[in-house]
Amino acid sequence: METRLTALKLLCEVFLHQKFANKLLNQLKQSQKFSDPDIAFIFKLVYGTIQYKIYLEYVVNKIIDPQKTDKEVQILLWMSLYQIKFLNTPIYSVTFEGVEVVKKINKQLAGFVNVKIKALADSKLWEVNIKNKQNTLALENGFPFWLYQHFKADFGQEIAEKLVLSANQPTLISFRLNLNKISQQDFLAEFQVAHKIEVSKIAKNAYLAASSIFTSRAFVDKLIYIQDETSILAVELLNPQPNTKVLDLCCAPGGKLSYLAQLVGPKTIVTGNEIDVKKQNLIEQNLNACQITNVKLSFLDGRQVKGNFDYIMLDAPCSGWGVFKRKPEIKLKKFTHEAMQSLYQTQAELLSHAFGLLNDNGKLLYATCTINKAENQNLITSFLKKEPTASLLSEEQYFGFESNNNGFYLALISKKL
């Protein structure tokens, strides 16, 4: 019962207070309140309920009045349905645990929850039958229809449907090696077979493994750094050289920054800038974990940074519509028109300012973890029209269904003489 009660509390934080599940779950793991199997179950229950929330709510609303039912109880019923339909948990177990949990909230609702959970076992309730048949696929997969339509308008129906179907797919853990501590050859010799490690198909220093990697010596001794393979690729595309001036304009949490510093070597200083000074400890922790000492940090709005650089990494703030697999709650947030316009303006201003800091023949890598032409392709096209000295060297949109990766956009730009 404790695991389900904990899962419910975390889900309430996500749905009622807009918290991020990954941060809450990492805090729970560090607290060491539960065994590893219990933690794994809580993770699965929380992420699964968030992933399918739209669908779960649709089904549960068939048997309750959402206007008159306590919100925590509604979330408990969503969680219960997820266990019944997607985890194949026996109905008697889900019912018993659900009733025990609701007693902690309001004992008077125990009978109500008992009846409703048993009703959810009827598979006929699970069927999606709506007037707008175009929304069926999205609803069945817990995907917001408005976002599906947005992707369809940007990239066509085939890609939009693939995005919907891949959003809830489990992924492997992506990481790169701390080359200051171990070589690729030695790493693969020791860990590849034991942890079924796959070599990335898109980045040179990227690997994929199951969650067992977290219990390995590789993780404990900081031989690896957890990072999306598309994020690793961004640094490798920029490919900064030693004895040059390098800037990471929006550097938190420090993954790209530490890799940039590693590639240029300890004698070349890399400047890392971050607007939020509260993230300083996190950045420094990640740099220390990778044994990086050749970084100079500043904490400014990226549009206020001064200087001249040969290589600039601009991982711009974005909508985040590419990391549903890692942060499923992102797809549940609909930005206002005003908020999106403000975001587009910020991205354009950061890009223009970053390019102004670039030396002749310098290179700039613009990256976002989103799938949205207005933030990516359209922004770059507009920028290139305004900047006659800018040249697009490469451009790639990853959707996240290609392999294990997340949605990510990469544009490599050079400054001509």
Side-chain angles (χ1 to χ4, degrees), residues 324-394:
F324 302 135
K325 296 174 185 176
R326 184 156 46 88
K327 297 180 180 179
E329 56 269 48
I330 286 178
K331 67 184 179 182
L332 303 177
K333 179 182 179 181
K334 188 173 184 179
F335 295 92
T336 64
H337 174 75
E338 292 74 19
M340 291 304 293
Q341 293 303 312
S342 176
L343 178 61
Y344 300 153
Q345 182 176 347
T346 298
Q347 291 167 336
E349 290 175 355
L350 282 168
L351 178 57
S352 178
H353 183 73
F355 189 76
L357 301 177
L358 204 59
N359 290 326
D360 291 339
N361 293 318
K363 293 181 181 179
L364 184 154
L365 195 289
Y366 175 85
T368 70
C369 57
T370 195
I371 306 165
N372 182 18
K373 282 190 173 181
E375 298 178 70
N376 298 332
Q377 292 89 343
N378 295 352
L379 175 66
I380 294 299
T381 298
S382 177
F383 169 76
L384 293 172
K385 288 179 180 179
K386 297 176 183 177
E387 290 288 349
T389 60
S391 177
L392 182 63
L393 300 180
S394 66

Side-chain angles (χ1 to χ4, degrees), residues 156-175:
Q157 183 173 342
E158 182 180 355
I159 286 179
E161 290 182 355
K162 285 183 178 180
L163 283 166
V164 169
L165 292 171
S166 68
N168 299 331
Q169 295 300 309
T171 62
L172 296 173
I173 307 300
S174 172
F175 60 91

